[in-house]
Amino acid sequence: MSGNLTPREMLLLTVLAEMYGAPLDLVALMLGVTESRAYRIVRKLRSLKVVSELGMRPVPGPSWITPTKATADALLGRPTKYWMPSPKMAAHTRTVLEVRLALVGLDLDRWISERQLRGEIPIAKPGETRPHIHDGRYINNHGELIAVEVELTAKNLKAAKTAVAQAVQAARASDCAGLIYYYRGPAVKSVLTKAVAELNAAGHFENAGLRMRSADVDAELLKRPTKPAASDLRPGLRVIAGGAADHAIPQVTDPNEDGEAVSS
């Protein structure tokens, strides 16, 4: 696979495999080029059959670029299912990727994707349920593992409490030092705050040893530069069984990692 691809293209493919896919404007951001240049690079990738030939538009806006199943299998080191963006998932998938870029740029060592986490969990037996899977986890500037959740629509309070409790349990089981919720809009913030307050009052977080924070996702993303600097690229990307290493683009920006305390 790597013989006809540049290190930058291999890095892009690895992120696409980890994140399922991305719209063209974020592909351009990751490549550090204009959208027209990104489209030409995508045409090359399609000719090499490492990304889908379909120009999918699940929502209005740029077309989506997704790796082929063979590409995802090779870069993730395990069998995967072919993924096609649905209108319901497009906004969430895009926002999680934007959060990833804001937190760690394209440093593959500092982000564990939901797809990777899902692949590590055995298939549930009949009558069992899978544990909660975070939208991602990252290693912050202090070397701590932080779980990430992205909430774009407001759940009812009962569903929100269940989701928060499961996210906390999964973070605790994975020895995460913190859990941060990125929310969109006052309605999501309100129900999230109420859910945490009620769980806290019921003693759910006693001895959790877990810092919980929230942040307005759109405010955080405004801090991100418009594109990674091309001068930050360096050679040396290699493909191994579990993915790509020696990561070519450093962190895009260094936002306030803590955000706001989630409390009543």
Side-chain angles (χ1 to χ4, degrees):
M1 179 193 298
S2 59
N4 296 313
L5 297 168
T6 67
R8 177 168 57 180
E9 292 163 352
M10 282 298 306
L11 179 59
L12 170 70
L13 286 172
T14 302
V15 174
L16 291 179
E18 291 177 352
M19 305 301 294
Y20 297 100
L24 184 64
D25 60 324
L26 291 188
V27 169
L29 173 69
M30 289 186 282
L31 290 170
V33 298
T34 63
E35 286 190 38
S36 59
R37 173 60 181 155
Y39 180 73
R40 291 194 293 272
I41 293 173
V42 168
R43 283 198 304 179
K44 170 191 171 181
L45 299 179
R46 284 174 175 161
S47 72
L48 295 173
K49 301 190 182 304
V50 292
V51 300
S52 172
E53 296 181 358
L54 301 176
M56 296 168 284
R57 282 189 172 85
V59 293
S63 61
W64 278 64
I65 314 303
T66 59
T68 62
K69 182 182 183 306
T71 299
D73 289 355
L75 291 174
L76 298 180
R78 60 177 177 81
T80 62
K81 293 182 179 180
Y82 178 71
W83 183 84
M84 180 179 294
S86 66
K88 181 178 180 180
M89 289 300 299
H92 187 265
T93 302
R94 176 194 177 97
T95 306
V96 173
L97 175 54
E98 289 180 309
V99 168
R100 172 180 178 162
L101 295 177
L103 289 171
V104 303
L106 295 179
D107 187 336
L108 302 182
D109 282 333
R110 293 182 60 198
W111 183 270
I112 306 171
S113 71
E114 181 268 347
R115 195 176 203 181
Q116 293 167 290
L117 294 172
R118 186 175 297 275
E120 295 172 358
I121 298 175
I123 297 175
K125 297 178 181 178
E128 295 181 348
T129 57
R130 271 187 159 191
H132 180 84
I133 302 172
H134 295 125
D135 290 324
R137 294 177 190 150
Y138 79 102
I139 299 172
N140 68 13
N141 292 337
H142 307 292
E144 299 171 315
L145 184 63
I146 308 296
V148 171
E149 293 287 342
V150 174
E151 293 288 348
L152 303 182
T153 56
K155 297 179 172 71
N156 63 57
L157 183 57
K158 181 179 179 180
K161 287 171 63 177
T162 299
V164 171
Q166 291 176 342
V168 169
Q169 183 180 14
R172 188 184 303 168
S174 302
D175 294 325
C176 293
L179 168 63
I180 183 164
Y181 269 86
Y182 288 93
Y183 63 84
R184 175 164 287 153
V188 181
K189 180 181 180 181
S190 176
V191 73
L192 174 63
T193 301
K194 290 177 182 177
V196 171
E198 291 195 12
L199 289 169
N200 189 47
H204 184 81
F205 301 135
E206 289 182 4
N207 302 316
L210 190 73
R211 299 193 309 274
M212 287 191 64
R213 297 290 184 265
S214 70
D216 183 309
V217 67
D218 295 311
E220 288 300 303
L221 296 182
L222 286 175
K223 301 175 183 178
R224 189 188 65 198
T226 56
K227 66 178 183 178
S231 61
D232 288 333
L233 296 167
R234 66 177 188 270
L237 193 68
R238 63 185 185 277
V239 180
I240 58 176
D246 193 20
H247 317 306
I249 302 178
Q251 182 176 329
V252 176
T253 187
D254 185 17
N256 178 355
E257 293 175 336
D258 290 335
E260 309 161 357
V262 180
S263 59
S264 57

